[in-house]
Each structure stands twice: as structure tokens, then as C-alpha cells.
Amino acid sequence: MKLVDSPKETIRIEFQKKDLNKIVEPIIKHAENFSSVPLDMAYLLGEQDYRIDDHFQQPKGVFD
């Protein structure tokens, strides 16, 4: 995780792919202890982790 310089009143954090699950899993596992803000962040990071691994391509000629 890296805090990146950004415009005033904005926070930008960069995560390594390998770190996403280490952040998301414990938050989701203990969701009852968190407010909506960290849960929203965890779900967004989890979705991004999934999208990084999603390499689906429509087979050629499927709708011909």
C-alpha cells in the first residue's frame, strides 16, 4: 500500500495486487465490527481484485 501525492482534500492510495486479499478478507470476515465506509472500501477492493484476474474473452464466431 502506498499513499500517493494528490490534490488537496483528496486521498489516493495504491495497492499491490498481492495485498488486496490481505486487506479485504479480514474486514469482510469481521463485517459486524465495521461501519459502512470500510466495508464499502473492502467490497470495492475485492471487486478490483476479481477484475484483475478475470481474463474472459468471448469465443470467436459464437453468434455467427
Side-chain angles (χ1 to χ4, degrees):
M1 182 169 65
K2 177 178 148 186
L3 188 59
V4 179
D5 288 334
S6 54
K8 188 176 180 181
E9 298 181 14
T10 303
I11 297 174
R12 181 174 167 197
I13 303 171
E14 291 183 359
F15 297 94
Q16 296 281 332
K17 160 78 171 105
K18 63 184 173 102
D19 295 331
L20 289 177
N21 198 38
K22 293 177 188 175
I23 297 167
V24 172
E25 193 173 311
I27 293 173
I28 300 302
K29 192 178 217 180
H30 300 286
E32 69 276 359
N33 298 324
F34 291 97
S35 67
S36 64
V37 174
L39 290 174
D40 289 345
M41 184 187 77
Y43 285 120
L44 289 172
L45 292 174
E47 181 179 345
Q48 187 59 38
D49 187 30
Y50 174 77
R51 287 178 184 232
I52 290 171
D53 290 337
D54 186 16
H55 301 290
F56 175 79
Q57 291 183 354
Q58 187 69 38
K60 292 183 180 185
V62 118
F63 294 109
D64 291 340

